Amino acid sequence: MIFTIAVDGPAAAGKGTISRALAEAFGFAHLDTGLLYRAVGAKAGDPVAAARSLSPEDLARDDLRSMAAGQAASVVAAIPEVRAALVAFQQDFARREGGAVLDGRDIGTVICPGAEVKLFVTASAEVRAHRRWLEVGGDEAQVLAEVKARDERDMNRADAPLKPAADSILIDTSTLSIDEAVAQAAAIVRRRLG
Ligand code: C5P
C-alpha cells in the first residue's frame, strides 16, 4: 500500500511527536525532513554542495537538535537550490511501499501535494517557546525571540514558505495534551484509510 501522511507546521508545535506516534500506530515509515535541512546547515562550506552530497553520517551528527542548528537550517532552507537538491529523496520516501509519514514545512504544499492525509499542526508562539525552553533552558524570552525569528523566516521566504495546504486539516496543540493531539491525528488518518 502507498499512503502518505504530510505533517507541516512551525517549530515546536508537536509535529515530530505526532508523526512518530502515527508511524508507530499505523506501521508506516517516518521521515523528519527538518533533519535534512539541519544537516545541510551544520556542514561547513557551500550549502548547495552540502545538500547535493548529504550522507547518512551527516544525518547522524549529535549536534543537530540545538537551537543554533535550527536557526542555521532555516537560513539554508531559504536557498532554492538547497531545497531542489532534497526533493527527490523526500518524494521517493513518501511513495515507498507500506506507507510514510513526513513532517516538515512544505510537505503538503510542495513535496507531496497528493498526500492522502495533510495535517497542519500549530500552537501559539508563546506555548511553543515554552515547550522549547523546557528542553533547552536558558532565558525564556530569548527562546521566544528565536522561535518568532524562525517563524518569520520560514513563512516569508519566496520558495516553499511555511503555510497550510488548502486541503490540510488544522490541529492546534496549544491546549491539548500529547495524547489528545495524537488521538485527533490518528482519528483523521483512520477515517481516510476507511
Ligand atoms: O523541523 P525543524 O525545526 O527540525 O526544521 C528546521 C528548519 O528547517 C525549519 O525552521 C525550516 O527552515 C527548515 N525546513 C524546511 N522545510 C522542511 C523542513 C524543515 O524548510 N520540510
Side-chain angles (χ1 to χ4, degrees):
M1 180 198 49
I2 305 235
F3 191 100
T4 307
I5 305 174
V7 184
D8 291 305
K15 299 185 301 292
T17 304
I18 290 174
S19 299
R20 280 189 298 276
L22 290 177
E24 172 80 26
F26 295 98
F28 290 4
H30 171 226
L31 178 65
D32 166 7
T33 65
L35 205 59
L36 304 175
Y37 294 91
R38 285 171 182 263
V40 171
K43 269 182 99 166
D46 172 32
V48 177
R52 288 181 180 150
S53 64
L54 215 54
S55 70
E57 295 78 63
D58 295 329
L59 298 176
R61 288 174 62 142
D62 59 11
D63 57 352
L64 297 181
R65 292 277 159 218
S66 68
M67 294 287 290
Q71 294 292 351
S74 92
V75 172
V76 299
I79 304 171
E81 292 83 358
V82 165
R83 306 199 69 83
L86 302 174
V87 169
F89 175 77
Q90 295 175 81
Q91 289 179 336
D92 288 349
F93 190 98
R95 302 317 276 171
R96 62 166 45 199
E97 187 53 47
V101 187
L102 286 82
D103 70 273
R105 302 291 185 289
D106 64 339
I107 308 303
T109 51
V110 174
I111 302 296
C112 304
E116 281 73 13
V117 172
K118 296 183 188 178
L119 304 177
F120 194 83
V121 179
T122 190
S124 73
E126 286 72 19
V127 166
R128 292 184 289 115
H130 186 69
R131 289 178 187 155
R132 194 42 63 86
W133 173 75
L134 290 173
E135 290 168 14
V136 300
D139 175 6
E140 190 168 352
Q142 175 65 26
V143 175
L144 176 60
E146 291 196 23
V147 162
K148 285 184 171 169
R150 192 133 72 93
D151 285 355
E152 178 75 16
R153 198 155 42 226
D154 289 349
M155 292 189 297
N156 293 311
R157 67 184 175 217
D159 193 18
L162 169 65
K163 62 170 186 206
D167 52 350
S168 65
I169 298 173
L170 185 86
I171 299 180
D172 187 329
T173 66
S174 299
T175 60
L176 298 180
S177 68
I178 291 176
D179 286 351
E180 288 167 338
V182 168
Q184 275 194 18
I188 294 163
V189 174
R190 223 170 281 120
R191 210 152 51 228
R192 182 67 174 79
L193 278 167

